[in-house]
Amino acid sequence: QLQESGPGLVSSSQTLSLTCTVSGGSIRANNYYWSWIRQPPGKGLEWMGTKRYSGATYYNPSLKSRASISRDTSKNQFTLQLSSATPEDTAVYYCASRFDGARGYVEVWGQGILVTVSS
C-alpha cells in the first residue's frame, strides 16, 4: 500500500516536496520500481520519474532537471522534490510501485494528492 503526503498548497518558485510511505513491503526489495506520476486538471497522466530498487533513477526530460526522487530506507519512504514550482505544476500527484516477477508485473498506486501552486 502506498500513501502520498505533503502540502496541498505551494507558492510559485518554491520547491514542491511530497513523500510516499510504503507499507506491506520493503522499499529495498529486489525487482521493485518506485515512481511519481501526476495529472494536471483536465489533462492526462504524466510520468515524472522512477527509482529502481538498485538506486538508479530516471526522469522525464520535460521536467528539465527540476525533479529529484530519493528514498529513505529507514522510514520505508520515497520522496519527490520539484524545484522552481509554477502554477503549471498544479496537479494530482501519485506515487506508484511496480514489481516485475517471473509471471508478469504488478502495479500499485497511491490514492493521489492534489497540490496547487499559487502564483
Side-chain angles (χ1 to χ4, degrees), residues 106-118:
V106 176
E107 285 189 350
V108 176
W109 288 54
Q111 64 183 20
I113 182 171
L114 174 62
V115 179
T116 300
V117 180
S118 63

Side-chain angles (χ1 to χ4, degrees), residues 49-66:
T50 297
K51 179 174 280 293
R52 296 183 62 188
Y53 58 95
S54 64
T57 311
Y58 309 91
Y59 298 101
N60 187 330
S62 70
L63 296 174
K64 298 179 181 179
S65 302
R66 294 194 297 129

Side-chain angles (χ1 to χ4, degrees), residues 7-17 82 85-86 115-119:
L9 182 63
V10 177
S11 299
S12 285
S13 80
Q14 299 300 305
T15 296
L16 185 159
S17 296
L82 186 66
T86 72
V115 179
T116 300
V117 180
S118 63
S119 57

Side-chain angles (χ1 to χ4, degrees), residues 35-40 43-50 59-64 66-67 80 82 88-95 109:
S35 299
W36 286 97
I37 303 102
R38 67 181 180 180
Q39 185 169 30
K43 297 184 179 180
L45 295 170
E46 178 187 26
W47 170 73
M48 300 184 71
T50 297
Y59 298 101
N60 187 330
S62 70
L63 296 174
K64 298 179 181 179
R66 294 194 297 129
L80 168 71
L82 186 66
E88 287 66 41
D89 294 315
T90 294
V92 177
Y93 287 76
Y94 299 92
C95 60
W109 288 54

Side-chain angles (χ1 to χ4, degrees), residues 1-3 20-37 47-59 69-73 76-80 94-99 106-110:
Q1 189 174 7
L2 306 178
Q3 180 67 59
C20 184
T21 300
V22 179
S23 58
S26 172
I27 198 169
R28 295 176 294 179
N30 287 340
N31 298 337
Y32 273 90
Y33 301 77
W34 308 96
S35 299
W36 286 97
I37 303 102
W47 170 73
M48 300 184 71
T50 297
K51 179 174 280 293
R52 296 183 62 188
Y53 58 95
S54 64
T57 311
Y58 309 91
Y59 298 101
I69 298 174
S70 60
R71 63 181 177 181
D72 186 336
T73 55
N76 221 36
Q77 295 174 333
F78 64 107
T79 62
L80 168 71
Y94 299 92
C95 60
S97 69
R98 173 182 167 126
F99 171 73
V106 176
E107 285 189 350
V108 176
W109 288 54

